[in-house]
Amino acid sequence: MSASPISTLQRLRAEHGLKALRYCGVSVVNVSVGVSVLAICHGLLGWPAVGANLAAWMVSTVPAYLLSRAWVWQRSGPHRLAGEVLTFWVMALIGLLLSSAAVWVVEEFTSETVFVVAGNLAAYGTVWVAKYVFLDRVMWPRVRND
């Protein structure tokens, strides 16, 4: 017997509602920081798009990890190097590679910063949901007290 769409939505809201909102909040902070650094480095300083993208990644990844761990998934205590830090950085590197490819392609057609930023956002947007699922189900799964 399959669940109705309404019961599925209610279950998802119960399991992920506040956490998903906090994840969106962290994403807003992360995107704001990253896009600001990207726009400054590319638009104001004249850096190549890939270099500006790397700088944006370097500045925004640490706060993204710390906010995700502490606020979204409410984890405290020691940071596990292999189980948390390195895993998060590998995911961040995947986003960096995709966004660097995107901004490089965009810059081949135009050097307008607004299009470079759009390419960056599009690339990161493609991994956003997958990253949430991975962090929620694999890296920081909910501890059940049943």
Side-chain angles (χ1 to χ4, degrees):
M1 182 170 173
S2 65
S4 73
I6 291 174
S7 66
T8 300
L9 285 173
Q10 289 171 336
R11 181 185 56 79
L12 287 172
R13 189 176 81 196
E15 288 181 18
H16 299 283
L18 189 55
K19 187 186 327 172
L21 286 175
R22 289 190 304 254
Y23 183 69
C24 290
V26 168
S27 296
V28 167
V29 170
N30 191 41
V31 167
S32 299
V33 169
V35 165
S36 297
V37 172
L38 177 63
I40 289 167
C41 291
H42 185 267
L44 294 178
L45 301 177
W47 293 12
V50 173
N53 191 60
L54 178 61
W57 177 82
M58 290 170 60
V59 169
S60 65
T61 300
V62 172
Y65 165 75
L66 294 173
L67 287 169
S68 292
R69 184 179 192 269
W71 194 49
V72 178
W73 281 275
Q74 302 180 335
R75 300 292 194 227
S76 60
H79 299 264
R80 296 174 299 135
L81 183 62
E84 290 180 354
V85 177
L86 292 177
T87 305
F88 194 91
W89 280 81
V90 166
M91 288 187 302
L93 278 171
I94 291 168
L96 172 64
L97 293 173
L98 289 173
S99 64
S100 293
V103 299
W104 177 78
V105 168
V106 168
E107 195 172 46
E108 290 296 307
F109 294 99
T110 179
S111 62
E112 293 293 324
T113 300
V114 68
F115 293 113
V116 171
V117 168
N120 170 276
L121 291 173
Y124 276 115
T126 61
V127 297
W128 188 71
V129 172
K131 186 176 177 181
Y132 175 85
V133 171
F134 179 84
L135 292 173
D136 191 59
R137 298 289 184 216
V138 177
M139 197 151 108
W140 292 311
R142 183 178 62 180
V143 177
R144 296 184 187 261
N145 296 323
D146 299 326

